[in-house]
Amino acid sequence: MRQDQHGISVHAATAAAVEELDGAVDSLLHFRLDVGERSERAVTEDPLQPTANAMRVYLAVLSTDPQYVPPIAAKFAEFRQRVSDLTDGERRHVEAAAKLLDGDLHAAGALLADLVAEQPRDALALAVGHQIDFLTGNATSLRDRIGGALPAWNTADPHYANLLGMYAFGLEECGHWELAEQTGLRSMELDAADVWSIHAVGHTHEMRATYDDGIAMLDRRRANWDQGNLLRVHIWWHYCLFLLEAGRYREALDLYDERLAPTDESTITEAVNAASLMWRLHLLGENVGDRWAKLAATWPPRMTIPFNAFNDMHAVMSYVGAGEDNLAADLVADRRRYVAEAGPATNIATTARVGLPICEGLLAFGRGRYEEAVDLLWPIRRHVHEFGGSHAQRDVMQRTLVEAAIRAGRTAQARTLVGERISVRPDSPYNQLKMRQLTGS
C-alpha cells in the first residue's frame, strides 16, 4: 500500500498504474479533456486497482449522459467480483461508485463525506463529492465539504489552488459573493490553470450584476480557460449571460453560433448551455431564426433513458422553442411513467418533485397557457435547487415564471417575484426592467 500525491491510499501492481491515476486525478481537478483517457490507462495498467475503477464510474455518472454508464457498469461489476483486500479508503470509493451506479447520489455523497472526514487530503473524494453536491443542489455542502478539509492543506500542496477554486464556488452558491471572489482570485494566483476558480469568480459577477467586470475578467484570463478543458463552452455561456445583461443581444447570438451551437458530437452539458442561452433570448423576444430547429434536432438521442431531470428541462426548452410541442409532450409523458417506478434513484424523486412540474410549465408557456405555467412553477420556485445546477443556471426557470405571471395578468404574484429578485440583486438590468414594467415608472 502507498499514498499517492493526491492523498489517496492505493494498492497498485505497478508504479505506472499509480502514475496514471495521479495524472487522471490531476486532469479531473483541472477539467482537462484527457481525464477519461488517463483513468482508462490507469485501469489498463492495473485492472484491479480499486480507486481507478471507482474513478471510471465517477466520470461516467457525473457526465450526466446515460450512454456512458452501461458499459462502465458492466466492467465495474466484473471488477468487484475479482477484487479483495481493500484499504478503508479504497473500500469507500468502491462503495460510493456502486451507489452512483444505483442512482443514489445522496448515499454516494455521504460515503465520500465520511471518507474525507478521516482522510481530508483525498483530492478525488473531495472533487467527486463537490460535483455530487452540485448535481443535487446542496449549496451548504458545496461550501462546507471543502471548507472542512482545507485546514489539512496548505500552499505547499500542488493542488491547494484547486481546493480554493472549489471552495470559492461553494461560497458563491451560499451567497458569500465578495469572499468567493477573493478566494477564487487567490486560487488563480497560485494556479492560473484552475478553470474552476475562473468559473467561480464569473458566478460572483453574475450574481452581483457586475457584468462589465465579468467580461473584463474573462477577457484577461482567456488564455487560461479558452482551450483544452471541459469548462470552455460553459464559460463562454457565462460570457454570453454578461452580454445579455448589457443588452448586447446580437453579440451573444454571434457567440452562440461561434462557440455554443451544439452538434451531434457535442456533450450533453454543451447542449444544456445552448438551450439555456436560447431560452433566455426567447423570453426577451429575440428572433433567433432557425437556430431552435437545429438545437432541438440534437436532443432526441440523448433523451431515450431518464437520467437527469436538469437535462430534461433543457430538452423541453429546445423542443418548445423549435415548435416541436409533440416531442416535449412525449418527453413529459415518458417521465410521468418513469416517476411511477419504485427505486432508490435520486433522479426519480427530483423528477417527480421539480423536474416534471418545470417541464410541464415550459410546455404550457410555449403553448401560451400562462396561467397554467404559473400554477405549475409558483409552488416549486423555492426548491428548484433540488435538481442541481447553479443559481445562474436555475435562474432561467425563475425568469420563465416571472414572464408567465406578467403575461397571465397575475400582477400580485409578478410583483412578489420581481420584488424578491430586486431585493437581492438591485443592480440587475433585467430586474430593473421588470420592475419598471410592473410599476409603469
Side-chain angles (χ1 to χ4, degrees):
M1 184 182 74
R2 59 161 289 183
Q3 191 169 76
D4 75 357
Q5 64 175 303
H6 304 290
I8 306 166
S9 297
V10 297
H11 285 106
T14 67
V18 176
E19 182 180 353
E20 291 293 355
L21 180 59
D22 282 343
V25 174
D26 184 67
S27 287
L28 176 64
L29 293 170
H30 287 94
F31 290 82
R32 294 195 190 101
L33 299 175
D34 68 348
V35 59
E37 178 186 346
R38 297 214 69 167
S39 69
E40 286 292 336
R41 292 209 300 263
V43 176
T44 299
E45 285 291 337
D46 183 357
L48 295 184
Q49 210 301 304
T51 310
N53 276 276
M55 184 174 183
R56 204 162 55 165
V57 171
Y58 294 153
L59 295 177
V61 176
L62 297 181
S63 75
T64 73
D65 192 333
Q67 69 172 314
Y68 299 124
V69 175
I72 296 300
K75 293 175 182 177
F76 190 70
E78 180 181 353
F79 151 76
R80 293 193 77 187
Q81 290 177 347
R82 298 175 57 198
V83 73
S84 60
D85 189 28
L86 305 180
T87 69
D88 183 60
E90 289 171 337
R91 177 184 59 79
R92 294 194 195 207
H93 273 296
V94 169
E95 289 177 357
K99 289 297 184 183
L100 282 182
L101 288 174
D102 289 340
D104 194 343
L105 274 66
H106 295 295
L111 281 165
L112 292 173
D114 290 343
L115 170 55
V116 167
E118 296 181 11
Q119 299 180 26
R121 293 174 55 80
D122 188 325
L124 178 61
L126 285 164
V128 173
H130 188 67
Q131 291 302 315
I132 290 172
D133 293 335
F134 175 70
L135 291 178
T136 55
N138 190 338
T140 302
S141 189
L142 270 171
R143 180 193 62 195
D144 293 347
R145 185 188 296 268
I146 307 302
L150 269 173
W153 293 67
N154 61 64
T155 54
D157 294 318
H159 293 300
Y160 180 68
N162 304 125
L163 248 69
L164 286 181
M166 287 187 271
Y167 190 50
F169 184 64
L171 288 168
E172 178 275 321
E173 287 297 292
C174 287
H176 311 298
W177 300 329
E178 286 75 19
L179 181 57
E181 181 183 22
Q182 295 166 15
T183 305
L185 291 174
R186 175 59 176 150
S187 172
M188 290 183 229
E189 290 175 6
L190 296 171
D191 183 357
D194 183 57
V195 292
W196 195 245
S197 62
I198 297 171
H199 166 255
V201 172
H203 270 271
T204 70
H205 289 297
E206 165 70 17
M207 297 310 295
R208 292 174 295 176
T210 51
Y211 46 85
D212 287 336
D213 291 340
I215 290 171
M217 184 275 293
L218 292 180
D219 282 341
R220 285 194 306 272
R221 299 279 179 176
R222 187 171 299 181
N224 303 124
W225 62 265
D226 192 21
Q227 56 185 341
N229 68 80
L230 295 165
L231 282 180
R232 176 175 174 267
V233 174
H234 182 65
I235 294 176
W236 275 117
W237 174 80
H238 278 282
Y239 199 106
C240 289
L241 293 195
F242 295 144
L243 292 176
L244 293 187
E245 282 286 83
R248 295 157 62 180
Y249 303 160
R250 180 50 52 182
E251 291 176 63
L253 264 178
D254 289 343
L255 274 179
Y256 174 90
D257 293 336
E258 294 171 16
R259 309 289 186 178
L260 270 71
T263 66
D264 292 338
E265 288 73 42
S266 300
T267 67
I268 200 163
T269 55
E270 289 169 351
V272 163
N273 291 321
S276 180
L277 181 65
M278 291 285 284
W279 190 259
R280 282 170 168 81
L281 287 163
H282 178 64
L283 294 176
L284 290 166
E286 287 297 298
N287 182 359
V288 299
D290 64 351
R291 292 177 181 85
W292 271 127
K294 292 178 179 178
L295 173 57
T298 69
W299 276 101
R302 310 176 195 274
M303 291 289 102
T304 56
I305 302 172
F307 196 71
N308 184 276
F310 185 75
N311 292 346
D312 292 345
M313 173 180 76
H314 291 87
V316 170
M317 286 177 184
S318 301
Y319 296 151
V320 171
E324 297 282 1
D325 284 15
N326 57 320
L327 293 177
D330 288 347
L331 180 60
V332 166
D334 182 76
R335 296 320 187 240
R336 285 186 186 131
R337 290 190 293 270
Y338 168 66
V339 300
E341 301 173 5
T346 303
N347 190 55
I348 293 177
T350 54
T351 298
R353 185 166 162 85
V354 296
L356 261 174
I358 290 174
C359 289
E360 291 167 343
L362 290 168
L363 180 55
F365 186 95
R367 289 173 168 172
R369 301 204 299 257
Y370 302 120
E371 291 262 4
E372 180 182 344
V374 174
D375 290 340
L376 286 161
L377 299 178
W378 176 271
I380 64 168
R381 74 188 197 282
R382 300 198 193 283
H383 49 91
V384 174
H385 65 277
E386 293 175 11
F387 76 165
S390 64
H391 289 302
Q393 289 175 306
R394 295 187 299 266
D395 193 47
V396 70
M397 172 267 166
Q398 303 291 356
R399 292 185 183 214
T400 303
L401 175 55
V402 169
E403 192 62 37
I406 292 172
R407 296 187 188 187
R410 304 270 279 266
T411 306
Q413 286 171 298
R415 283 177 178 161
T416 297
L417 293 166
V418 175
E420 291 171 353
R421 296 177 65 86
I422 208 162
S423 295
V424 176
R425 300 171 65 191
D427 297 324
S428 164
Y430 172 84
N431 293 343
Q432 293 169 354
L433 172 65
K434 292 303 164 183
M435 182 59 77
R436 289 194 301 271
Q437 191 173 342
L438 286 166
T439 61
S441 60

